[in-house]
PDB file of all heavy atoms in Angstrom:
ATOM      1  N   HIS A   1       0.803  -1.221   0.000  1.00 69.00           N
ATOM      2  CA  HIS A   1       0.000   0.000   0.000  1.00 69.00           C
ATOM      3  C   HIS A   1       0.837   1.273   0.000  1.00 69.00           C
ATOM      4  O   HIS A   1       0.343   2.334  -0.353  1.00 69.00           O
ATOM      5  CB  HIS A   1      -0.937   0.000   1.218  1.00 69.00           C
ATOM      6  CG  HIS A   1      -1.852  -1.176   1.251  1.00 69.00           C
ATOM      7  ND1 HIS A   1      -2.836  -1.384   0.309  1.00 69.00           N
ATOM      8  CD2 HIS A   1      -1.938  -2.223   2.102  1.00 69.00           C
ATOM      9  CE1 HIS A   1      -3.492  -2.500   0.584  1.00 69.00           C
ATOM     10  NE2 HIS A   1      -2.959  -3.033   1.661  1.00 69.00           N
ATOM     11  N   GLN A   2       2.113   1.165   0.398  1.00 65.00           N
ATOM     12  CA  GLN A   2       2.959   2.356   0.432  1.00 65.00           C
ATOM     13  C   GLN A   2       3.208   2.885  -0.982  1.00 65.00           C
ATOM     14  O   GLN A   2       3.284   4.080  -1.208  1.00 65.00           O
ATOM     15  CB  GLN A   2       4.303   2.031   1.114  1.00 65.00           C
ATOM     16  CG  GLN A   2       4.167   1.625   2.572  1.00 65.00           C
ATOM     17  CD  GLN A   2       4.004   0.109   2.723  1.00 65.00           C
ATOM     18  OE1 GLN A   2       3.623  -0.581   1.784  1.00 65.00           O
ATOM     19  NE2 GLN A   2       4.270  -0.392   3.910  1.00 65.00           N
ATOM     20  N   ASN A   3       3.363   1.965  -1.943  1.00 76.00           N
ATOM     21  CA  ASN A   3       3.497   2.281  -3.369  1.00 76.00           C
ATOM     22  C   ASN A   3       2.683   1.253  -4.128  1.00 76.00           C
ATOM     23  O   ASN A   3       2.153   0.313  -3.550  1.00 76.00           O
ATOM     24  CB  ASN A   3       4.961   2.229  -3.818  1.00 76.00           C
ATOM     25  CG  ASN A   3       5.845   3.243  -3.116  1.00 76.00           C
ATOM     26  OD1 ASN A   3       6.504   2.937  -2.136  1.00 76.00           O
ATOM     27  ND2 ASN A   3       5.870   4.460  -3.627  1.00 76.00           N
ATOM     28  N   SER A   4       2.585   1.410  -5.447  1.00 87.00           N
ATOM     29  CA  SER A   4       1.879   0.406  -6.243  1.00 87.00           C
ATOM     30  C   SER A   4       2.655  -0.895  -6.220  1.00 87.00           C
ATOM     31  O   SER A   4       3.880  -0.910  -6.344  1.00 87.00           O
ATOM     32  CB  SER A   4       1.714   0.898  -7.686  1.00 87.00           C
ATOM     33  OG  SER A   4       0.906   2.063  -7.723  1.00 87.00           O
ATOM     34  N   ALA A   5       1.926  -2.002  -6.048  1.00 91.00           N
ATOM     35  CA  ALA A   5       2.565  -3.317  -5.982  1.00 91.00           C
ATOM     36  C   ALA A   5       3.071  -3.743  -7.352  1.00 91.00           C
ATOM     37  O   ALA A   5       2.564  -3.298  -8.395  1.00 91.00           O
ATOM     38  CB  ALA A   5       1.567  -4.345  -5.452  1.00 91.00           C
ATOM     39  N   VAL A   6       4.072  -4.626  -7.377  1.00 95.00           N
ATOM     40  CA  VAL A   6       4.595  -5.149  -8.635  1.00 95.00           C
ATOM     41  C   VAL A   6       3.463  -5.827  -9.398  1.00 95.00           C
ATOM     42  O   VAL A   6       2.663  -6.561  -8.833  1.00 95.00           O
ATOM     43  CB  VAL A   6       5.762  -6.126  -8.382  1.00 95.00           C
ATOM     44  CG1 VAL A   6       5.341  -7.319  -7.528  1.00 95.00           C
ATOM     45  CG2 VAL A   6       6.381  -6.592  -9.682  1.00 95.00           C
ATOM     46  N   GLY A   7       3.375  -5.545 -10.695  1.00 94.00           N
ATOM     47  CA  GLY A   7       2.272  -6.047 -11.497  1.00 94.00           C
ATOM     48  C   GLY A   7       2.543  -7.388 -12.152  1.00 94.00           C
ATOM     49  O   GLY A   7       3.697  -7.775 -12.356  1.00 94.00           O
ATOM     50  N   HIS A   8       1.473  -8.089 -12.497  1.00 95.00           N
ATOM     51  CA  HIS A   8       1.595  -9.392 -13.152  1.00 95.00           C
ATOM     52  C   HIS A   8       2.295  -9.257 -14.510  1.00 95.00           C
ATOM     53  O   HIS A   8       3.122 -10.084 -14.879  1.00 95.00           O
ATOM     54  CB  HIS A   8       0.214 -10.015 -13.336  1.00 95.00           C
ATOM     55  CG  HIS A   8      -0.531 -10.207 -12.044  1.00 95.00           C
ATOM     56  ND1 HIS A   8      -1.215  -9.186 -11.442  1.00 95.00           N
ATOM     57  CD2 HIS A   8      -0.665 -11.293 -11.247  1.00 95.00           C
ATOM     58  CE1 HIS A   8      -1.756  -9.641 -10.319  1.00 95.00           C
ATOM     59  NE2 HIS A   8      -1.444 -10.909 -10.179  1.00 95.00           N
ATOM     60  N   ARG A   9       1.949  -8.220 -15.258  1.00 96.00           N
ATOM     61  CA  ARG A   9       2.540  -8.042 -16.590  1.00 96.00           C
ATOM     62  C   ARG A   9       4.048  -7.824 -16.514  1.00 96.00           C
ATOM     63  O   ARG A   9       4.780  -8.260 -17.399  1.00 96.00           O
ATOM     64  CB  ARG A   9       1.866  -6.864 -17.303  1.00 96.00           C
ATOM     65  CG  ARG A   9       0.427  -7.137 -17.723  1.00 96.00           C
ATOM     66  CD  ARG A   9      -0.139  -5.974 -18.507  1.00 96.00           C
ATOM     67  NE  ARG A   9      -1.511  -6.234 -18.928  1.00 96.00           N
ATOM     68  CZ  ARG A   9      -2.253  -5.391 -19.645  1.00 96.00           C
ATOM     69  NH1 ARG A   9      -1.736  -4.223 -20.001  1.00 96.00           N
ATOM     70  NH2 ARG A   9      -3.484  -5.705 -19.982  1.00 96.00           N
ATOM     71  N   GLU A  10       4.490  -7.139 -15.461  1.00 97.00           N
ATOM     72  CA  GLU A  10       5.921  -6.917 -15.278  1.00 97.00           C
ATOM     73  C   GLU A  10       6.655  -8.246 -15.114  1.00 97.00           C
ATOM     74  O   GLU A  10       7.715  -8.475 -15.696  1.00 97.00           O
ATOM     75  CB  GLU A  10       6.167  -6.057 -14.046  1.00 97.00           C
ATOM     76  CG  GLU A  10       5.649  -4.640 -14.138  1.00 97.00           C
ATOM     77  CD  GLU A  10       5.865  -3.887 -12.838  1.00 97.00           C
ATOM     78  OE1 GLU A  10       5.016  -3.989 -11.938  1.00 97.00           O
ATOM     79  OE2 GLU A  10       6.907  -3.210 -12.704  1.00 97.00           O
ATOM     80  N   ILE A  11       6.079  -9.103 -14.305  1.00 98.00           N
ATOM     81  CA  ILE A  11       6.699 -10.412 -14.062  1.00 98.00           C
ATOM     82  C   ILE A  11       6.654 -11.258 -15.325  1.00 98.00           C
ATOM     83  O   ILE A  11       7.639 -11.936 -15.665  1.00 98.00           O
ATOM     84  CB  ILE A  11       6.002 -11.130 -12.889  1.00 98.00           C
ATOM     85  CG1 ILE A  11       6.185 -10.323 -11.599  1.00 98.00           C
ATOM     86  CG2 ILE A  11       6.551 -12.550 -12.717  1.00 98.00           C
ATOM     87  CD1 ILE A  11       5.397 -10.833 -10.423  1.00 98.00           C
ATOM     88  N   LEU A  12       5.532 -11.232 -16.031  1.00 97.00           N
ATOM     89  CA  LEU A  12       5.416 -12.008 -17.264  1.00 97.00           C
ATOM     90  C   LEU A  12       6.418 -11.541 -18.313  1.00 97.00           C
ATOM     91  O   LEU A  12       6.976 -12.359 -19.061  1.00 97.00           O
ATOM     92  CB  LEU A  12       3.989 -11.902 -17.816  1.00 97.00           C
ATOM     93  CG  LEU A  12       2.914 -12.614 -16.988  1.00 97.00           C
ATOM     94  CD1 LEU A  12       1.530 -12.324 -17.558  1.00 97.00           C
ATOM     95  CD2 LEU A  12       3.164 -14.128 -16.954  1.00 97.00           C
ATOM     96  N   LYS A  13       6.679 -10.257 -18.353  1.00 97.00           N
ATOM     97  CA  LYS A  13       7.662  -9.716 -19.294  1.00 97.00           C
ATOM     98  C   LYS A  13       9.044 -10.283 -18.984  1.00 97.00           C
ATOM     99  O   LYS A  13       9.812 -10.624 -19.903  1.00 97.00           O
ATOM    100  CB  LYS A  13       7.691  -8.189 -19.222  1.00 97.00           C
ATOM    101  CG  LYS A  13       8.632  -7.540 -20.228  1.00 97.00           C
ATOM    102  CD  LYS A  13       8.553  -6.018 -20.147  1.00 97.00           C
ATOM    103  CE  LYS A  13       9.503  -5.367 -21.150  1.00 97.00           C
ATOM    104  NZ  LYS A  13       9.445  -3.878 -21.068  1.00 97.00           N
ATOM    105  N   VAL A  14       9.366 -10.397 -17.709  1.00 98.00           N
ATOM    106  CA  VAL A  14      10.654 -10.960 -17.292  1.00 98.00           C
ATOM    107  C   VAL A  14      10.729 -12.436 -17.668  1.00 98.00           C
ATOM    108  O   VAL A  14      11.735 -12.916 -18.198  1.00 98.00           O
ATOM    109  CB  VAL A  14      10.845 -10.776 -15.773  1.00 98.00           C
ATOM    110  CG1 VAL A  14      12.099 -11.513 -15.298  1.00 98.00           C
ATOM    111  CG2 VAL A  14      10.948  -9.298 -15.422  1.00 98.00           C
ATOM    112  N   LEU A  15       9.659 -13.168 -17.404  1.00 98.00           N
ATOM    113  CA  LEU A  15       9.617 -14.589 -17.738  1.00 98.00           C
ATOM    114  C   LEU A  15       9.755 -14.814 -19.238  1.00 98.00           C
ATOM    115  O   LEU A  15      10.412 -15.760 -19.681  1.00 98.00           O
ATOM    116  CB  LEU A  15       8.308 -15.211 -17.238  1.00 98.00           C
ATOM    117  CG  LEU A  15       8.161 -15.350 -15.713  1.00 98.00           C
ATOM    118  CD1 LEU A  15       6.725 -15.705 -15.359  1.00 98.00           C
ATOM    119  CD2 LEU A  15       9.129 -16.397 -15.170  1.00 98.00           C
ATOM    120  N   ASP A  16       9.148 -13.933 -20.019  1.00 97.00           N
ATOM    121  CA  ASP A  16       9.221 -14.049 -21.491  1.00 97.00           C
ATOM    122  C   ASP A  16      10.643 -13.909 -22.009  1.00 97.00           C
ATOM    123  O   ASP A  16      10.960 -14.377 -23.109  1.00 97.00           O
ATOM    124  CB  ASP A  16       8.326 -12.998 -22.149  1.00 97.00           C
ATOM    125  CG  ASP A  16       6.841 -13.334 -22.039  1.00 97.00           C
ATOM    126  OD1 ASP A  16       6.526 -14.495 -21.731  1.00 97.00           O
ATOM    127  OD2 ASP A  16       6.004 -12.430 -22.242  1.00 97.00           O
ATOM    128  N   LYS A  17      11.498 -13.279 -21.218  1.00 96.00           N
ATOM    129  CA  LYS A  17      12.893 -13.108 -21.624  1.00 96.00           C
ATOM    130  C   LYS A  17      13.763 -14.291 -21.192  1.00 96.00           C
ATOM    131  O   LYS A  17      14.978 -14.260 -21.345  1.00 96.00           O
ATOM    132  CB  LYS A  17      13.442 -11.800 -21.058  1.00 96.00           C
ATOM    133  CG  LYS A  17      12.798 -10.563 -21.674  1.00 96.00           C
ATOM    134  CD  LYS A  17      13.448  -9.289 -21.188  1.00 96.00           C
ATOM    135  CE  LYS A  17      12.832  -8.069 -21.865  1.00 96.00           C
ATOM    136  NZ  LYS A  17      13.047  -8.072 -23.333  1.00 96.00           N
ATOM    137  N   GLY A  18      13.124 -15.314 -20.632  1.00 97.00           N
ATOM    138  CA  GLY A  18      13.859 -16.509 -20.231  1.00 97.00           C
ATOM    139  C   GLY A  18      14.528 -16.410 -18.878  1.00 97.00           C
ATOM    140  O   GLY A  18      15.350 -17.263 -18.517  1.00 97.00           O
ATOM    141  N   ILE A  19      14.172 -15.386 -18.131  1.00 97.00           N
ATOM    142  CA  ILE A  19      14.741 -15.205 -16.792  1.00 97.00           C
ATOM    143  C   ILE A  19      13.885 -15.980 -15.792  1.00 97.00           C
ATOM    144  O   ILE A  19      12.660 -15.886 -15.803  1.00 97.00           O
ATOM    145  CB  ILE A  19      14.768 -13.717 -16.406  1.00 97.00           C
ATOM    146  CG1 ILE A  19      15.637 -12.936 -17.402  1.00 97.00           C
ATOM    147  CG2 ILE A  19      15.263 -13.524 -14.973  1.00 97.00           C
ATOM    148  CD1 ILE A  19      15.503 -11.438 -17.293  1.00 97.00           C
ATOM    149  N   LYS A  20      14.520 -16.759 -14.919  1.00 97.00           N
ATOM    150  CA  LYS A  20      13.779 -17.500 -13.901  1.00 97.00           C
ATOM    151  C   LYS A  20      13.336 -16.544 -12.793  1.00 97.00           C
ATOM    152  O   LYS A  20      14.133 -15.737 -12.311  1.00 97.00           O
ATOM    153  CB  LYS A  20      14.632 -18.625 -13.313  1.00 97.00           C
ATOM    154  CG  LYS A  20      14.822 -19.810 -14.244  1.00 97.00           C
ATOM    155  CD  LYS A  20      15.517 -20.950 -13.515  1.00 97.00           C
ATOM    156  CE  LYS A  20      15.598 -22.192 -14.393  1.00 97.00           C
ATOM    157  NZ  LYS A  20      16.237 -23.335 -13.671  1.00 97.00           N
ATOM    158  N   VAL A  21      12.070 -16.649 -12.406  1.00 98.00           N
ATOM    159  CA  VAL A  21      11.549 -15.804 -11.330  1.00 98.00           C
ATOM    160  C   VAL A  21      10.975 -16.700 -10.240  1.00 98.00           C
ATOM    161  O   VAL A  21      10.102 -17.525 -10.497  1.00 98.00           O
ATOM    162  CB  VAL A  21      10.463 -14.832 -11.835  1.00 98.00           C
ATOM    163  CG1 VAL A  21      10.001 -13.933 -10.691  1.00 98.00           C
ATOM    164  CG2 VAL A  21      10.972 -14.004 -13.001  1.00 98.00           C
ATOM    165  N   TYR A  22      11.489 -16.520  -9.024  1.00 98.00           N
ATOM    166  CA  TYR A  22      11.040 -17.293  -7.868  1.00 98.00           C
ATOM    167  C   TYR A  22      10.297 -16.368  -6.899  1.00 98.00           C
ATOM    168  O   TYR A  22      10.594 -15.182  -6.806  1.00 98.00           O
ATOM    169  CB  TYR A  22      12.230 -17.900  -7.133  1.00 98.00           C
ATOM    170  CG  TYR A  22      13.009 -18.911  -7.932  1.00 98.00           C
ATOM    171  CD1 TYR A  22      14.019 -18.509  -8.816  1.00 98.00           C
ATOM    172  CD2 TYR A  22      12.758 -20.273  -7.809  1.00 98.00           C
ATOM    173  CE1 TYR A  22      14.747 -19.434  -9.541  1.00 98.00           C
ATOM    174  CE2 TYR A  22      13.491 -21.212  -8.542  1.00 98.00           C
ATOM    175  CZ  TYR A  22      14.469 -20.782  -9.396  1.00 98.00           C
ATOM    176  OH  TYR A  22      15.193 -21.705 -10.126  1.00 98.00           O
ATOM    177  N   GLY A  23       9.355 -16.939  -6.161  1.00 98.00           N
ATOM    178  CA  GLY A  23       8.629 -16.154  -5.175  1.00 98.00           C
ATOM    179  C   GLY A  23       8.367 -16.934  -3.907  1.00 98.00           C
ATOM    180  O   GLY A  23       8.137 -18.149  -3.947  1.00 98.00           O
ATOM    181  N   ALA A  24       8.413 -16.234  -2.779  1.00 98.00           N
ATOM    182  CA  ALA A  24       8.157 -16.877  -1.487  1.00 98.00           C
ATOM    183  C   ALA A  24       7.818 -15.831  -0.442  1.00 98.00           C
ATOM    184  O   ALA A  24       8.016 -14.630  -0.652  1.00 98.00           O
ATOM    185  CB  ALA A  24       9.378 -17.679  -1.031  1.00 98.00           C
ATOM    186  N   SER A  25       7.280 -16.303   0.675  1.00 97.00           N
ATOM    187  CA  SER A  25       7.193 -15.556   1.929  1.00 97.00           C
ATOM    188  C   SER A  25       6.086 -14.502   1.981  1.00 97.00           C
ATOM    189  O   SER A  25       5.192 -14.589   2.801  1.00 97.00           O
ATOM    190  CB  SER A  25       8.538 -14.900   2.245  1.00 97.00           C
ATOM    191  OG  SER A  25       8.523 -14.315   3.508  1.00 97.00           O
ATOM    192  N   SER A  26       6.153 -13.506   1.126  1.00 94.00           N
ATOM    193  CA  SER A  26       5.233 -12.378   1.215  1.00 94.00           C
ATOM    194  C   SER A  26       4.671 -12.053  -0.174  1.00 94.00           C
ATOM    195  O   SER A  26       3.944 -12.844  -0.741  1.00 94.00           O
ATOM    196  CB  SER A  26       5.957 -11.176   1.837  1.00 94.00           C
ATOM    197  OG  SER A  26       5.049 -10.170   2.184  1.00 94.00           O
ATOM    198  N   MET A  27       5.015 -10.892  -0.714  1.00 95.00           N
ATOM    199  CA  MET A  27       4.568 -10.559  -2.072  1.00 95.00           C
ATOM    200  C   MET A  27       4.987 -11.630  -3.066  1.00 95.00           C
ATOM    201  O   MET A  27       4.243 -11.959  -4.001  1.00 95.00           O
ATOM    202  CB  MET A  27       5.153  -9.198  -2.484  1.00 95.00           C
ATOM    203  CG  MET A  27       4.835  -8.787  -3.927  1.00 95.00           C
ATOM    204  SD  MET A  27       3.068  -8.586  -4.231  1.00 95.00           S
ATOM    205  CE  MET A  27       2.792  -6.991  -3.445  1.00 95.00           C
ATOM    206  N   GLY A  28       6.161 -12.205  -2.861  1.00 97.00           N
ATOM    207  CA  GLY A  28       6.642 -13.259  -3.757  1.00 97.00           C
ATOM    208  C   GLY A  28       5.735 -14.465  -3.755  1.00 97.00           C
ATOM    209  O   GLY A  28       5.463 -15.059  -4.803  1.00 97.00           O
ATOM    210  N   ALA A  29       5.253 -14.863  -2.581  1.00 97.00           N
ATOM    211  CA  ALA A  29       4.351 -16.011  -2.467  1.00 97.00           C
ATOM    212  C   ALA A  29       3.029 -15.728  -3.159  1.00 97.00           C
ATOM    213  O   ALA A  29       2.479 -16.580  -3.869  1.00 97.00           O
ATOM    214  CB  ALA A  29       4.116 -16.342  -1.000  1.00 97.00           C
ATOM    215  N   LEU A  30       2.505 -14.521  -2.954  1.00 95.00           N
ATOM    216  CA  LEU A  30       1.234 -14.134  -3.568  1.00 95.00           C
ATOM    217  C   LEU A  30       1.327 -14.148  -5.088  1.00 95.00           C
ATOM    218  O   LEU A  30       0.493 -14.775  -5.762  1.00 95.00           O
ATOM    219  CB  LEU A  30       0.838 -12.739  -3.070  1.00 95.00           C
ATOM    220  CG  LEU A  30      -0.405 -12.107  -3.707  1.00 95.00           C
ATOM    221  CD1 LEU A  30      -1.639 -12.960  -3.433  1.00 95.00           C
ATOM    222  CD2 LEU A  30      -0.593 -10.686  -3.190  1.00 95.00           C
ATOM    223  N   ARG A  31       2.345 -13.497  -5.640  1.00 97.00           N
ATOM    224  CA  ARG A  31       2.466 -13.434  -7.096  1.00 97.00           C
ATOM    225  C   ARG A  31       2.796 -14.810  -7.690  1.00 97.00           C
ATOM    226  O   ARG A  31       2.314 -15.153  -8.769  1.00 97.00           O
ATOM    227  CB  ARG A  31       3.540 -12.419  -7.493  1.00 97.00           C
ATOM    228  CG  ARG A  31       3.125 -10.983  -7.274  1.00 97.00           C
ATOM    229  CD  ARG A  31       2.021 -10.564  -8.230  1.00 97.00           C
ATOM    230  NE  ARG A  31       1.649  -9.165  -8.058  1.00 97.00           N
ATOM    231  CZ  ARG A  31       0.602  -8.749  -7.359  1.00 97.00           C
ATOM    232  NH1 ARG A  31      -0.200  -9.641  -6.769  1.00 97.00           N
ATOM    233  NH2 ARG A  31       0.328  -7.465  -7.249  1.00 97.00           N
ATOM    234  N   ALA A  32       3.574 -15.620  -6.994  1.00 97.00           N
ATOM    235  CA  ALA A  32       3.898 -16.956  -7.507  1.00 97.00           C
ATOM    236  C   ALA A  32       2.649 -17.817  -7.594  1.00 97.00           C
ATOM    237  O   ALA A  32       2.486 -18.594  -8.540  1.00 97.00           O
ATOM    238  CB  ALA A  32       4.939 -17.622  -6.612  1.00 97.00           C
ATOM    239  N   SER A  33       1.746 -17.682  -6.626  1.00 97.00           N
ATOM    240  CA  SER A  33       0.513 -18.476  -6.659  1.00 97.00           C
ATOM    241  C   SER A  33      -0.378 -18.066  -7.815  1.00 97.00           C
ATOM    242  O   SER A  33      -1.138 -18.881  -8.342  1.00 97.00           O
ATOM    243  CB  SER A  33      -0.243 -18.320  -5.340  1.00 97.00           C
ATOM    244  OG  SER A  33      -0.827 -17.039  -5.208  1.00 97.00           O
ATOM    245  N   GLU A  34      -0.268 -16.814  -8.228  1.00 96.00           N
ATOM    246  CA  GLU A  34      -1.095 -16.310  -9.333  1.00 96.00           C
ATOM    247  C   GLU A  34      -0.480 -16.601 -10.696  1.00 96.00           C
ATOM    248  O   GLU A  34      -1.193 -16.659 -11.699  1.00 96.00           O
ATOM    249  CB  GLU A  34      -1.278 -14.787  -9.169  1.00 96.00           C
ATOM    250  CG  GLU A  34      -2.053 -14.407  -7.917  1.00 96.00           C
ATOM    251  CD  GLU A  34      -1.892 -12.946  -7.537  1.00 96.00           C
ATOM    252  OE1 GLU A  34      -0.863 -12.320  -7.909  1.00 96.00           O
ATOM    253  OE2 GLU A  34      -2.777 -12.417  -6.847  1.00 96.00           O
ATOM    254  N   LEU A  35       0.845 -16.804 -10.722  1.00 97.00           N
ATOM    255  CA  LEU A  35       1.548 -16.943 -11.997  1.00 97.00           C
ATOM    256  C   LEU A  35       2.318 -18.254 -12.128  1.00 97.00           C
ATOM    257  O   LEU A  35       3.098 -18.414 -13.070  1.00 97.00           O
ATOM    258  CB  LEU A  35       2.519 -15.765 -12.185  1.00 97.00           C
ATOM    259  CG  LEU A  35       1.881 -14.367 -12.244  1.00 97.00           C
ATOM    260  CD1 LEU A  35       2.951 -13.286 -12.242  1.00 97.00           C
ATOM    261  CD2 LEU A  35       1.001 -14.234 -13.481  1.00 97.00           C
ATOM    262  N   ASP A  36       2.108 -19.200 -11.212  1.00 97.00           N
ATOM    263  CA  ASP A  36       2.875 -20.447 -11.296  1.00 97.00           C
ATOM    264  C   ASP A  36       2.560 -21.244 -12.554  1.00 97.00           C
ATOM    265  O   ASP A  36       3.420 -21.941 -13.092  1.00 97.00           O
ATOM    266  CB  ASP A  36       2.698 -21.305 -10.038  1.00 97.00           C
ATOM    267  CG  ASP A  36       1.243 -21.565  -9.669  1.00 97.00           C
ATOM    268  OD1 ASP A  36       0.348 -21.203 -10.452  1.00 97.00           O
ATOM    269  OD2 ASP A  36       1.020 -22.136  -8.582  1.00 97.00           O
ATOM    270  N   SER A  37       1.335 -21.137 -13.063  1.00 97.00           N
ATOM    271  CA  SER A  37       0.983 -21.855 -14.293  1.00 97.00           C
ATOM    272  C   SER A  37       1.631 -21.225 -15.521  1.00 97.00           C
ATOM    273  O   SER A  37       1.638 -21.815 -16.604  1.00 97.00           O
ATOM    274  CB  SER A  37      -0.538 -21.880 -14.467  1.00 97.00           C
ATOM    275  OG  SER A  37      -1.046 -20.566 -14.617  1.00 97.00           O
ATOM    276  N   LEU A  38       2.195 -20.018 -15.338  1.00 97.00           N
ATOM    277  CA  LEU A  38       2.821 -19.300 -16.447  1.00 97.00           C
ATOM    278  C   LEU A  38       4.347 -19.243 -16.309  1.00 97.00           C
ATOM    279  O   LEU A  38       5.004 -18.544 -17.068  1.00 97.00           O
ATOM    280  CB  LEU A  38       2.246 -17.890 -16.545  1.00 97.00           C
ATOM    281  CG  LEU A  38       0.734 -17.830 -16.848  1.00 97.00           C
ATOM    282  CD1 LEU A  38       0.220 -16.403 -16.745  1.00 97.00           C
ATOM    283  CD2 LEU A  38       0.435 -18.400 -18.229  1.00 97.00           C
ATOM    284  N   GLY A  39       4.861 -19.966 -15.320  1.00 97.00           N
ATOM    285  CA  GLY A  39       6.315 -20.084 -15.242  1.00 97.00           C
ATOM    286  C   GLY A  39       6.987 -19.580 -13.990  1.00 97.00           C
ATOM    287  O   GLY A  39       8.151 -19.903 -13.743  1.00 97.00           O
ATOM    288  N   MET A  40       6.300 -18.775 -13.180  1.00 98.00           N
ATOM    289  CA  MET A  40       6.912 -18.319 -11.938  1.00 98.00           C
ATOM    290  C   MET A  40       6.952 -19.489 -10.958  1.00 98.00           C
ATOM    291  O   MET A  40       6.015 -20.286 -10.877  1.00 98.00           O
ATOM    292  CB  MET A  40       6.129 -17.142 -11.348  1.00 98.00           C
ATOM    293  CG  MET A  40       6.827 -16.486 -10.165  1.00 98.00           C
ATOM    294  SD  MET A  40       5.997 -14.952  -9.656  1.00 98.00           S
ATOM    295  CE  MET A  40       6.983 -14.512  -8.221  1.00 98.00           C
ATOM    296  N   ILE A  41       8.018 -19.587 -10.185  1.00 98.00           N
ATOM    297  CA  ILE A  41       8.231 -20.726  -9.294  1.00 98.00           C
ATOM    298  C   ILE A  41       8.007 -20.303  -7.847  1.00 98.00           C
ATOM    299  O   ILE A  41       8.687 -19.418  -7.334  1.00 98.00           O
ATOM    300  CB  ILE A  41       9.653 -21.293  -9.463  1.00 98.00           C
ATOM    301  CG1 ILE A  41       9.885 -21.705 -10.918  1.00 98.00           C
ATOM    302  CG2 ILE A  41       9.881 -22.479  -8.524  1.00 98.00           C
ATOM    303  CD1 ILE A  41      11.338 -21.941 -11.263  1.00 98.00           C
ATOM    304  N   GLY A  42       7.048 -20.940  -7.189  1.00 98.00           N
ATOM    305  CA  GLY A  42       6.746 -20.646  -5.792  1.00 98.00           C
ATOM    306  C   GLY A  42       7.422 -21.617  -4.852  1.00 98.00           C
ATOM    307  O   GLY A  42       7.590 -22.785  -5.167  1.00 98.00           O
TER     308      GLY A  42
END
């Protein structure tokens, strides 16, 4: 809430470039659960 949260499209853009993206614990866990079917690793 302090700033705008990292967006799904931002992460997908990174994944499209072949970069591995992992998420855990907090914001990482939330975004990984939403994008794990698209390549993000939770």
